[in-house]
Amino acid sequence: MAQSSWSEYRTGQRFPGVIGRTTEESRPAWPQPVRAAAGAPNVLFIVFDDTGFGQLGCYGSPIETPNLDALAAGGLLYSNMHTTALCSPSRSCIITGRNHHANGMAAITELATGYPGYDGQIPFENGFLSEMLLQQGYNTYMVGKWHLMPSEQESAAGPYDRWPLGRGFERFYGFLGGDTSQWYPDLVYDNHQVEPPATPEEGYHLTEDLVERAMAFIADAKQVAPDKPFFLNLCPGATHAPHHVPAAWADRYRGRFDDGWDAYRERTFARQKELGVVPADAKLSPHDPDVPEWESLSPDARRLAARMMEVYAGFLSHTDHHIGRLVDFLKETGAFDNTLIMMVSDNGASAEGGVTGTTNELQFFNNAPETLEASLARIEEIGSPATFNHYPWGWTWAGNTPFRRWKRETYRGGVSDPFLVHWPDGIRARGEVRDQFAHIIDMVPTVLDVLGIEPPATIRGVTQSPLHGVSFAHTFDDASAASRHRTQYYEMFGHRAIDHDGWRAVCPWPGPSFAEAERPFGTPITMADLDDLDAHHWELYHVDEDVAETRNLAREHRGKLIEMIALWYVEAGRYNVLPIDGSALERLMTRRPQITEDRTSYTFRPGTQTLPAAVAPRVLNRPHSVVADVEIPPGGAQGVLLCQGTNSGGWSLYVKDGRLHYAHNYLQRALHHVVSGENVPEGRHALRFEFEPTGLPDMAQGKGAPGRAQLYIDGRLVGWSDMPVTTPIAFNPGGMACGLNPGSAVTPDYRAPFRFTGTLHSVTVDLSGDLIVDAESEMRMHMARQ
C-alpha cells in the first residue's frame, strides 16, 4: 500500500502527516496558526505631531500633561532623540527603521518629485514594523494620521497597496493626509471613507474618536484571543494645526502666557535643568532673529498671541487626557505592564503660523496672511470649528526650548524631540533620564531586539533591505551605556546637518544666516548657491558640551568642519539624498503621474467618495465650467451640486430658494457670491457655472486670477459677477464632493451637508477652456459696467 508523507503542503512545506488510500491508514496534521512567543509584549507607538522639545510637562513645560508625565515617571525620558524635521519623512523612519531619503520621503508626500529619494513611494523592500510583527503572530492596528503614500493614490481608485491595510496593518481608522479638522475630519475606515459618528455640536472631537477606536480594536481581538499581542501605531492629529479644542480646555490657561515667549523659555529652561533634561551648565540659545521681542508687540498683538498659545496648550492637555484614557483601558484589561510604549514627536514645533499666527492656516499656504485686525475680530473663535488656527512662530521657538529654530530646519529645534519609553515588565529603571544619542530609525531595531526577533529576510516574497538604525535597548537599564548610533545625516528643503561622535555641523538654507526677504523658505538652490554654502556657511557645534548650539566653532576647528562636510556627502550618496532641492512651491505645483491619463473632462455622480485635492480637477487660475444634469421635482429642490474645500476656503455650486448659486470662499477673507436672476424651473435641466480669467494670478501676494463668474440654465445666461481675486494655490483640507458638502460648509449660506433633494444625474467639470460665447450677454454686461 503506497503512503505519502512528502506531498507538498499548502504553504509550500511538506505535509508532515501521512496520506493513504483511506483515513484509516492516514494520519492528519493541521496547519498551525502563527502564534507570538509566550509572554511577548504588546507594542504601542504614540506619535505626536509638531510637539516641541519644551512643550511637555516632563520636559519642563508649564503645559499640563500629567499622563505623559506619568509614563516618564514610570519609565525613561530620552533627552537626545532625533527626527528628520518634517512629518512624513519622520513617520517613514519610525515605521521602517530606514532613513527618510532611502524611503523616498525627502519631504511630505504632497511635495514628491521624480528622484529616488523624493518620489514619496516607500519601497516594498523597506518593510514596515507592522509587516514584520504580523509575521510573528501580532494583531496590527493603525489609528490616526497616515501621510505615508503619494497624495494622488488617496482616492477610491487606489492603488491600495500603500494604504495602511496594504502595509501590514489589519485595521485602520484615521486620515490619510497631513492634517485635518479635529471637528470635521476627513476620515477613512480600513479602505473606505466614512463620516464622523457625531457633530461638534454633539460633542465630537477627533482625538477622543481615535482613542475610542483604538480601544475598540484591541478589545475586539482580546475577547477572542486574550494572549495575542498587538502593535498599535496611534498617531493623533495633535498638536499639528489646526489647534482645535473645546473652549473649556483652552480657558484653563487664561492669562498663563501673558508674559510672552521669552518668559516661557526662561521658565522652561530652568525647569529642564531641575529635571535633568538638559545639563546643569547648559546655555540657552539666543533670541531668534526672526522672532519679535514680546514687548515690541502692541497690546492687541500680545493679547492675540497669548490666546493662540492658550488654545494650543489646551489642545495638548486635551490630547494628554485621552492618552490617559487609553492607559487606563490597558490597566483595566491587565495589558499595561507588558506593553512596550514609545512616545515621540515627529519633528520640532511648527512655524507655519507665520510671525503673527493665523486663524486660518490655509492663508499661510496661499501666501495670503490676514491682518491683525481680522484676527482680533475672531479671537474668541480660535480653536472652534469656525477656524483652522495656528499660533505665531514666537511660540514655536519657545516650544523648542532650549534649542534654535523649528520644524523644517535641521538645527536641533527642528530635529530634537521628546521621546518616552515605558515597559514595567521589561525595564527595571523608573523615572530616569537617558542622554545617549538616538534617532527615530532606531525604534524598529529596538523593538525587534527586545522581542528577540531578527529582521525578516523577505516580506511577501520581497527581499528586504538592511535596517539603518541600531537598537538602544541596552540603555534601558544602564544609564552609562554608550550610544551605538554614531553618525546621522539630515536634509530638509536644502537645510542640512550631520551628527557624529558628539559633534554637529549645520548648513542652513535659507535659515537665519540669510535675510528672509532675500532668501524666503522654499527658495531653490542653484549650483552657485551650493558652492557658496559649502565654502562659507556650514556651522560647527560640539553638542556634547553645547547642547543648544550656542557656540559656532567653524573657524576654530576648520579641519573638523571639513571632515564633517565630507561625511555628510558620504551619507548623502549612501541614502539617496541627492540632488539637494531647496524648493517648496515648485514641488507643490509639480504634476505627478496620475492613475489615468491627463484629461480635461471629469464626470462626477452623487453617492461617490470625496476626491482628494491631488486627484481632483485643478480649476484654480484657469477657465473652466461646471455643468450639472438635474431634475427638479414639482415644488422645487435645493442642495449642493458640486463643491470643493471647507469653511477655510473653497467653492460651491448649489441650488437654494429656487435659485442657482455659486460661492467662492477666498480663504475666509472674502466671499464672492453669484446668484441667478430667475428660478430653476421644474423638469430636467443643465445648470452651468463658468469661470473666465480676466487677469493673471499674483502668487507672491496670495492672489489667484481675477475673473468673471457666470451662471447658465440650459445655455441661457441667468447671473454673473466679477471676482476681483480668487484662491491662488490650494484648497486643503477638504476634497471635491458631488451632491453634498461634507464636513464644514464652504459658505455660510447653507448648513452642511446640504444634500441635493432633487435628482442629480451627474456633474461634469470641463477644463478645456471651451466656454459659452454669447454676444448678447457680453453686450449686457458691458453696458452694466458703464
Side-chain angles (χ1 to χ4, degrees), residues 514-785:
F514 300 94
E516 176 69 18
E518 299 173 5
R519 293 279 200 261
F521 166 72
T523 301
I525 294 178
T526 66
M527 278 299 300
D529 291 326
L530 189 58
D531 289 343
D532 179 58
L533 287 166
D534 284 344
H536 305 293
H537 291 284
W538 280 88
E539 302 164 6
L540 181 67
Y541 302 96
H542 195 188
V543 287
D544 269 0
E545 301 175 358
D546 177 22
V547 296
E549 300 169 314
T550 64
R551 299 186 299 277
N552 180 5
L553 304 176
R555 289 185 179 179
E556 294 93 324
H557 296 276
R558 184 68 180 169
K560 185 68 176 179
L561 178 62
I562 292 172
E563 173 193 335
M564 297 286 280
I565 296 171
L567 185 57
W568 186 91
Y569 274 101
V570 170
E571 298 296 288
R574 179 177 295 162
Y575 296 117
N576 293 338
V577 182
L578 303 177
I580 300 169
D581 187 352
S583 68
L585 180 60
E586 290 81 355
R587 292 200 223 181
L588 179 65
M589 302 301 288
T590 296
R591 186 67 170 174
R592 294 177 288 278
Q594 303 290 306
I595 193 170
T596 61
E597 296 293 331
D598 285 344
R599 54 199 169 109
T600 59
S601 181
Y602 298 75
T603 299
F604 305 100
R605 302 187 188 281
T608 53
Q609 295 189 23
T610 300
L611 265 72
V615 296
R618 297 192 176 191
V619 300
L620 297 177
N621 305 310
R622 66 192 299 179
H624 62 272
S625 65
V626 182
V627 182
D629 180 1
V630 305
E631 285 188 52
I632 305 296
Q638 64 176 3
V640 171
L641 304 172
L642 193 71
C643 72
Q644 183 177 17
T646 67
N647 64 353
S648 297
W651 59 269
S652 182
L653 181 65
Y654 58 100
V655 178
K656 183 186 176 191
D657 299 328
R659 304 293 178 100
L660 179 62
H661 298 250
Y662 173 83
H664 185 105
N665 179 345
Y666 172 57
L667 308 172
Q668 295 185 334
R669 294 183 59 176
L671 185 68
H672 305 301
H673 186 200
V674 190
V675 59
S676 64
E678 59 186 69
N679 284 355
V680 179
E682 296 177 10
R684 189 161 184 170
H685 302 283
L687 307 183
R688 182 182 182 99
F689 164 77
E690 287 189 352
F691 176 76
E692 182 178 1
T694 55
L696 297 175
D698 186 347
M699 301 294 188
Q701 296 299 315
K703 296 179 179 180
R708 180 180 304 161
Q710 301 173 110
L711 297 174
Y712 294 85
I713 300 176
D714 298 328
R716 289 186 304 103
L717 182 68
V718 293
W720 66 272
S721 177
D722 283 335
M723 295 195 296
V725 63
T726 58
T727 303
I729 297 172
F731 299 122
N732 188 48
M736 186 173 287
C738 183
L740 79 166
N741 184 157
S744 59
V746 169
T747 169
D749 196 32
Y750 58 73
R751 182 170 180 171
F754 203 43
R755 297 177 186 274
F756 186 65
T757 58
T759 300
L760 179 58
H761 295 283
S762 65
V763 181
T764 299
V765 177
D766 186 273
L767 305 179
S768 67
D770 185 13
L771 304 180
I772 291 176
V773 177
D774 184 342
E776 185 178 345
S777 66
E778 290 278 342
M779 181 60 70
R780 286 199 300 270
M781 285 187 287
H782 178 73
M783 293 299 294
R785 292 192 179 95

Side-chain angles (χ1 to χ4, degrees), residues 124-126 456-465:
F124 292 110
E125 58 264 29
N126 291 3
T458 63
I459 292 177
R460 300 178 191 173
V462 178
T463 300
Q464 294 296 288
S465 67

Side-chain angles (χ1 to χ4, degrees), residues 27-95:
R27 184 176 72 249
W30 288 97
Q32 292 300 306
V34 177
R35 292 193 178 98
N42 306 302
V43 178
L44 168 59
F45 284 179
I46 303 173
V47 183
F48 274 69
D49 204 325
D50 292 0
T51 304
F53 188 89
Q55 290 183 322
L56 302 184
C58 52
Y59 279 82
S61 170
I63 301 174
E64 296 162 12
T65 55
N67 294 289
L68 294 174
D69 297 352
L71 292 179
L76 301 172
L77 181 154
Y78 281 75
S79 63
N80 206 5
M81 174 58 79
H82 295 76
T83 63
T84 71
L86 204 63
C87 52
S88 293
S90 287
R91 288 161 192 270
S92 78
C93 297
I94 288 168
I95 203 69

